[in-house]
Amino acid sequence: STIYLQMYRKAARTNEGGTGDQIRTTLPYIRQDVPVVVVFRALGFVADKEVVERIVYDFSDSEMMQKLKPSMEEASVVQDQTHALDFI
C-alpha cells in the first residue's frame, strides 16, 4: 500500500517569544499532525545527521538549514525509534 504525506509549515511560539516554522506532516489514520523529524526517526533514521541528509541535499545551503532548524529543535525530545513510534 502507499502512504501519502502532506507537509506544511505550522507557526508555533518559540521560547524567545517569536514564531518558528516547524515542518509537520499528516499521516493516514493519525488525527494530529506529526513533526516530520519524528516521522524520519520512526523510520529508523535516528541521528540528526541522518535526518538532515534525507531532507537537505546540500549542506552548504544555509537558507534550507535555517528553515529546518526549528523542526530539529521541536523533535529533540524524541531521540530513538521506539519513542518516535510511541509519539505517533
Side-chain angles (χ1 to χ4, degrees):
S1 74
T2 304
I3 295 176
Y4 294 97
L5 300 177
Q6 179 183 1
M7 295 173 42
Y8 58 95
R9 297 169 68 187
K10 180 178 181 180
R13 302 295 292 175
T14 62
N15 293 340
E16 293 81 29
T19 60
D21 294 320
Q22 290 85 13
I23 303 170
R24 299 172 72 88
T25 184
T26 56
L27 298 171
Y29 307 109
I30 306 296
R31 292 179 183 232
Q32 293 185 325
D33 54 328
V34 179
V36 71
V37 176
V38 173
V39 174
F40 276 95
R41 292 206 170 119
L43 292 170
F45 304 107
V46 178
D48 288 348
K49 184 176 180 180
E50 289 179 313
V51 174
V52 173
E53 286 173 348
R54 274 31 180 215
I55 298 173
V56 180
Y57 297 110
D58 181 11
F59 288 145
S60 64
D61 184 355
S62 60
E63 181 181 351
M64 187 61 188
M65 295 296 278
Q66 285 297 81
K67 287 182 180 182
L68 187 60
K69 187 176 180 178
S71 297
M72 297 299 292
E73 291 171 354
E74 178 186 30
S76 65
V77 295
V78 179
Q79 289 297 318
D80 60 35
Q81 187 175 20
T82 304
H83 287 105
L85 291 169
D86 288 342
F87 183 93
I88 293 173

